[in-house]
Amino acid sequence: MNLASLNTPAAIVDIDAMTRNIQRMQTRMNALGVQFRPHVKTTKCNQVVQAQLDAGAKGITVSTLKEAEQFFAAGIDDIVYAVAMAPNKLEQAMMLRRRGCRLKIVTDSVSSAQAIAAFGNTHAQAFEVWIEVDVDGHRSGIAPDDDLLLDVGRVLHEGGMRLGGVLAHAGSSYDYNSTDDLERIAEQERAGCVRAAERLRAAGLPCDTVSIGSTPTALAARHLEGVTEVRAGVYVFFDLVMHNVGVCATGDIALSVLTTVIGHQENKGWAIVDAGWMAMSRDRGTQRQQRDFGYGLVCNEEGVPLEGYVMSAANQEHGIVSRIGEPDTAIAARLPVGTRLRILPNHACATGAQHPAYHALSRDGTVSEWPRFYGW
Amino acid sequence: MNLASLNTPAAIVDIDAMTRNIQRMQTRMNALGVQFRPHVKTTKCNQVVQAQLDAGAKGITVSTLKEAEQFFAAGIDDIVYAVAMAPNKLEQAMMLRRRGCRLKIVTDSVSSAQAIAAFGNTHAQAFEVWIEVDVDGHRSGIAPDDDLLLDVGRVLHEGGMRLGGVLAHAGSSYDYNSTDDLERIAEQERAGCVRAAERLRAAGLPCDTVSIGSTPTALAARHLEGVTEVRAGVYVFFDLVMHNVGVCATGDIALSVLTTVIGHQENKGWAIVDAGWMAMSRDRGTQRQQRDFGYGLVCNEEGVPLEGYVMSAANQEHGIVSRIGEPDTAIAARLPVGTRLRILPNHACATGAQHPAYHALSRDGTVSEWPRFYGW
């Protein structure tokens, strides 16, 4: 199998770029003296995750219990489910633990902690629980100085659960694009999470793990004193949102969507392609960033950007490729029907999720199919 | 299986609402004297499509050849692939026809028509081809008065292909929300497509089928003189975009995402739920409409809207539910951890595509699993 033999649209992974991205992150984590626990929600793909582990990652982070089940079945037993635990999922989590999975679950509320402890005690299951810490007001978690932190810790610890640590994610790091801002938010993430751990310990509660991370902060942090592990996901492929944040070049983006030109509207300067939002996802993450790439940056079949050409609009199975600014009324001659292009995505996690498999492209031009799963 | 026994997030189909939507459209098409060919890209689900056929639909419309293969395997042989044909897909189309599928393919360019004729002649395959007509500048197709229409028709007809008809889709109908505008765009779609058919016939070319359609125009057209069939897809479930267009009530929306409250940020008035953009899709189709529903309208577990509450933001597996306007700082008491909600989606086609199966809810409260497929 090679690029020319693939049906379109297809999700292409450039193995060389992916390998460089994995090495870059792992080398950085080694230098900073922390363990690295990749977030596998980006790819949900055994081959990719195995490459991350082979490079030195310790354990994984998941966003669904289905990911935990699938990767546990693939032999990975050190797993953090990094979404606050819903009471109705406790049985599923317990079944994983009973089968030998060292699953860690997360909470940020007294009521959820109580539900975990009650269920755990009823079923003689001492869940390992990490408390989610809010370091930037981005989403969920407990602010480091909020006494709720200690309340939740006590409910778990005194309720017989194993209070294993604290976990933070500076999701607001995606909103910045300068080194200074990224270093500042990285330090805020580190300091806030360490502060939460220190408060728990000062209250006599256990807190071994201090887990932080996002791709921008992991790549910007100057030191990680007090942190034991870092989590990041999208760095493995990168994407145009990360390019706008300033943490990768377009040449580092390992995921693209192979597509075929199927028609034109010449007077408008449009080429119509057979990748629409079903293949790219509806993610418009660059819309409010410094450079809006529409639904993606257009490259030739070799993956070299056609500067100034983007997927400017998308329907379900149609994409409109056009030049930014002055319409290219010669686009039908430039990109005739049958031309194959590759589109770099705004958001690798969202684009990958639209595809049953990646097509992994080696340096020698051969392509392997790497399945990925979806659903809950 | 019932709602209470489902894991979350889950895609719920209200069978009663779906059945009403199917009846409404089919009754209208019968009254207008045209055949109805539903677009199955919305659901990719055998149970839904069978209900459409049982109600009187004739044949189906697909957006990918995978849909054609899957539904042909399920016994449906009258299929239009309504995306302009890429030369590299001709072999796949031919294999379907050789197995007995009455597949119709589409083109809007001389170069693609030439490729179809050349391939067809090489393989002794007289493809049935429809010419795509552009009635509103929305996307692809040939304007009815453009002589390119006749050129493409001649390439196909004289090249030995079966020129079966013309096909138009007034995609711009989604941009309107008044009866007058919808009736006007419906008439524009009808008249433009009929005009194209008449020009082909006047040039001595065959053109049996005149196929138009979109959900808004199908529901707005006052007459369909000269039209032989209508296509529409999203009407089967409807969604918030269609609600904003004005062609359905929220009570008609048959698809929702069941989710569980997993935490709160009380001072912000946020409830955090376990459905994020992975479950809702990234579709923000209501963003530029008369009412922006964020990532969806929040309902209780029975499907009754909590007026004023929307999913205001979404990450991959986290949704933020909040009240529009004044924050609801009592939201943790109103929607405690463990509360189950149903979220009506912006765009049923996009939301369904995120789920491996629908959970179809009967009037008696029982739930059946209806698988759907994805990919290409």
Side-chain angles (χ1 to χ4, degrees):
Chain A
M1 207 163 37
N2 55 36
L3 272 191
S5 67
L6 290 179
N7 193 1
T8 56
I12 309 298
V13 171
D14 178 328
I15 298 177
D16 266 6
M18 179 190 88
T19 306
R20 287 196 307 272
N21 298 340
I22 290 172
Q23 281 301 335
R24 175 182 169 198
M25 182 63 84
Q26 189 64 52
T27 301
R28 196 158 207 286
M29 295 300 107
N30 294 347
L32 287 165
V34 292
Q35 294 202 338
F36 182 59
R37 182 189 290 277
H39 206 318
V40 301
K41 75 181 176 68
T42 300
T43 67
K44 305 194 185 191
C45 171
N46 283 330
Q47 287 86 342
V48 176
V49 173
Q50 198 54 55
Q52 292 169 306
L53 294 170
D54 289 348
K58 303 288 184 207
I60 61 171
T61 312
V62 299
S63 68
T64 63
L65 288 177
K66 177 160 185 174
E67 291 162 55
E69 287 167 349
Q70 297 274 321
F71 286 108
F72 179 61
I76 301 169
D77 72 347
D78 180 2
I79 300 177
V80 175
Y81 169 47
V83 175
M85 196 67 201
N88 61 319
K89 296 191 172 80
L90 282 163
E91 176 138 358
Q92 198 181 355
M94 181 177 68
M95 297 311 288
L96 272 162
R97 289 181 61 90
R98 284 190 175 164
R99 286 157 54 208
C101 180
R102 293 180 293 147
L103 180 73
K104 274 72 81 167
I105 61 176
V106 167
T107 186
D108 66 355
S109 70
V110 166
S111 64
S112 174
Q114 286 170 333
I116 293 167
F119 185 97
N121 285 312
T122 301
H123 297 87
Q125 179 60 244
F127 286 108
E128 177 169 350
V129 190
W130 295 3
I131 300 178
E132 186 171 2
V133 177
D134 178 15
V135 292
D136 62 352
H138 170 62
R139 186 173 64 201
S140 37
I142 303 170
D145 286 307
D146 190 330
D147 283 344
L148 179 60
L149 179 75
L150 306 182
D151 296 342
V152 171
R154 285 192 195 100
V155 168
L156 294 167
H157 184 63
E158 292 163 13
M161 300 299 104
R162 171 159 151 59
L163 180 53
V166 286
L167 163 149
H169 165 62
S172 66
S173 62
Y174 282 41
D175 300 337
Y176 301 98
N177 60 23
S178 75
T179 306
D180 283 356
D181 282 332
L182 292 175
E183 286 184 3
R184 179 179 53 73
I185 188 79
E187 174 55 17
Q188 183 178 317
E189 183 185 49
R190 183 204 69 79
C193 202
V194 169
R195 164 85 180 138
E198 285 168 351
R199 288 192 69 218
L200 287 168
R201 291 170 190 147
L205 293 163
C207 184
D208 287 346
T209 299
V210 180
S211 175
I212 64 168
S214 74
T215 288
T217 55
L219 294 171
R222 301 193 63 166
H223 75 90
L224 291 177
E225 205 177 309
V227 169
T228 64
E229 68 164 40
V230 168
R231 309 176 325 280
V234 77
Y235 79 97
V236 69
F237 287 163
F238 284 124
D239 53 29
L240 293 168
V241 165
M242 287 296 113
H243 175 62
N244 272 333
V245 169
V247 295
C248 71
T250 55
D252 297 325
I253 300 176
L255 180 67
S256 59
V257 173
L258 183 70
T259 186
T260 304
V261 175
I262 59 172
H264 303 90
Q265 295 288 352
E266 289 193 63
N267 54 343
K268 294 176 181 166
W270 292 356
I272 314 289
V273 298
D274 70 351
W277 59 252
M278 189 63 83
M280 298 306 303
S281 90
R282 268 292 195 197
D283 199 293
R284 288 282 290 105
T286 59
Q287 189 172 20
R288 292 181 306 176
Q289 290 187 306
Q290 54 180 324
R291 186 168 166 195
D292 183 351
F293 288 96
Y295 283 88
L297 176 61
V298 178
C299 302
N300 65 16
E301 190 171 5
E302 287 69 47
V304 180
L306 305 181
E307 273 309 326
Y309 290 81
V310 297
M311 184 181 288
S312 50
N315 295 126
Q316 187 158 335
E317 299 289 349
H318 295 84
I320 296 177
V321 162
S322 62
R323 186 164 66 190
I324 294 170
E326 182 76 12
D328 177 6
T329 51
I331 199 162
R334 191 185 308 278
L335 306 173
V337 167
T339 303
R340 286 156 78 95
L341 301 169
R342 278 161 70 186
I343 316 288
L344 300 180
N346 285 324
H347 187 177
C349 309
T351 300
Q354 304 298 107
H355 295 262
Y358 298 114
H359 295 87
L361 175 64
S362 303
R363 193 179 301 182
D364 67 5
T366 59
V367 169
S368 317
E369 186 166 299
W370 289 357
R372 51 163 296 149
F373 59 88
Y374 78 135
W376 293 270
Chain B
M1 207 162 39
N2 55 36
L3 272 191
S5 68
L6 290 179
N7 193 2
T8 56
I12 309 299
V13 170
D14 178 328
I15 297 178
D16 266 6
M18 180 190 86
T19 305
R20 287 196 308 271
N21 298 340
I22 290 172
Q23 282 300 335
R24 175 182 168 198
M25 182 64 82
Q26 190 64 52
T27 301
R28 197 160 206 286
M29 295 299 107
N30 294 347
L32 287 165
V34 293
Q35 293 201 339
F36 182 60
R37 182 189 290 278
H39 206 317
V40 302
K41 73 181 178 70
T42 300
T43 67
K44 305 193 186 191
C45 172
N46 283 330
Q47 285 88 343
V48 176
V49 174
Q50 198 54 56
Q52 292 169 307
L53 294 170
D54 290 347
K58 303 287 184 209
I60 60 172
T61 312
V62 300
S63 68
T64 63
L65 289 176
K66 177 158 185 173
E67 291 162 55
E69 288 167 348
Q70 297 274 323
F71 285 107
F72 180 62
I76 300 168
D77 72 347
D78 180 1
I79 301 177
V80 175
Y81 169 46
V83 175
M85 196 66 200
N88 61 318
K89 296 191 171 82
L90 282 163
E91 176 138 358
Q92 197 181 354
M94 181 177 67
M95 297 312 288
L96 272 162
R97 288 181 62 89
R98 285 192 174 163
R99 286 157 55 206
C101 180
R102 294 179 291 147
L103 181 73
K104 274 71 82 167
I105 60 176
V106 167
T107 185
D108 66 354
S109 70
V110 167
S111 64
S112 173
Q114 286 170 335
I116 293 167
F119 185 97
N121 285 312
T122 301
H123 297 87
Q125 179 61 244
F127 286 107
E128 177 169 350
V129 189
W130 295 3
I131 301 179
E132 186 170 1
V133 177
D134 178 16
V135 292
D136 62 351
H138 170 63
R139 185 173 65 201
S140 36
I142 303 171
D145 286 307
D146 190 331
D147 284 343
L148 179 60
L149 178 76
L150 306 181
D151 295 341
V152 171
R154 287 194 193 97
V155 168
L156 293 167
H157 184 63
E158 292 163 14
M161 301 298 104
R162 172 159 150 59
L163 181 53
V166 286
L167 163 147
H169 165 62
S172 66
S173 62
Y174 283 43
D175 300 336
Y176 300 98
N177 59 23
S178 75
T179 306
D180 283 356
D181 282 332
L182 292 175
E183 286 184 2
R184 179 180 54 74
I185 188 80
E187 173 55 17
Q188 182 178 318
E189 183 185 48
R190 184 204 69 80
C193 201
V194 169
R195 165 86 180 137
E198 285 168 351
R199 289 193 69 218
L200 287 168
R201 291 171 190 145
L205 294 164
C207 184
D208 288 345
T209 299
V210 180
S211 175
I212 64 168
S214 73
T215 287
T217 55
L219 293 171
R222 300 194 64 167
H223 75 90
L224 291 176
E225 206 177 308
V227 168
T228 64
E229 67 163 42
V230 168
R231 309 175 326 280
V234 77
Y235 80 96
V236 69
F237 287 163
F238 285 123
D239 54 27
L240 294 168
V241 165
M242 286 297 112
H243 175 62
N244 272 333
V245 170
V247 294
C248 72
T250 55
D252 298 323
I253 299 176
L255 179 66
S256 59
V257 173
L258 183 70
T259 186
T260 304
V261 175
I262 59 171
H264 302 90
Q265 295 287 352
E266 289 193 62
N267 55 342
K268 294 175 180 164
W270 291 357
I272 314 290
V273 298
D274 70 352
W277 59 252
M278 188 64 82
M280 298 306 303
S281 91
R282 268 293 195 197
D283 199 294
R284 288 282 290 106
T286 59
Q287 189 173 19
R288 291 180 308 176
Q289 289 187 305
Q290 53 180 326
R291 184 166 167 198
D292 183 352
F293 288 96
Y295 283 88
L297 176 61
V298 178
C299 301
N300 65 17
E301 189 171 5
E302 287 69 47
V304 179
L306 306 181
E307 272 309 326
Y309 289 80
V310 298
M311 184 182 288
S312 51
N315 295 126
Q316 187 159 337
E317 299 288 349
H318 295 84
I320 295 177
V321 163
S322 62
R323 186 164 65 191
I324 294 170
E326 182 76 13
D328 177 7
T329 51
I331 199 163
R334 191 185 309 278
L335 306 173
V337 167
T339 303
R340 287 156 79 96
L341 301 168
R342 278 161 70 186
I343 316 289
L344 300 181
N346 286 323
H347 187 175
C349 309
T351 301
Q354 304 297 108
H355 295 262
Y358 298 113
H359 295 86
L361 175 64
S362 302
R363 193 178 301 183
D364 67 5
T366 59
V367 169
S368 316
E369 186 166 300
W370 289 358
R372 51 164 294 152
F373 58 88
Y374 78 136
W376 293 269

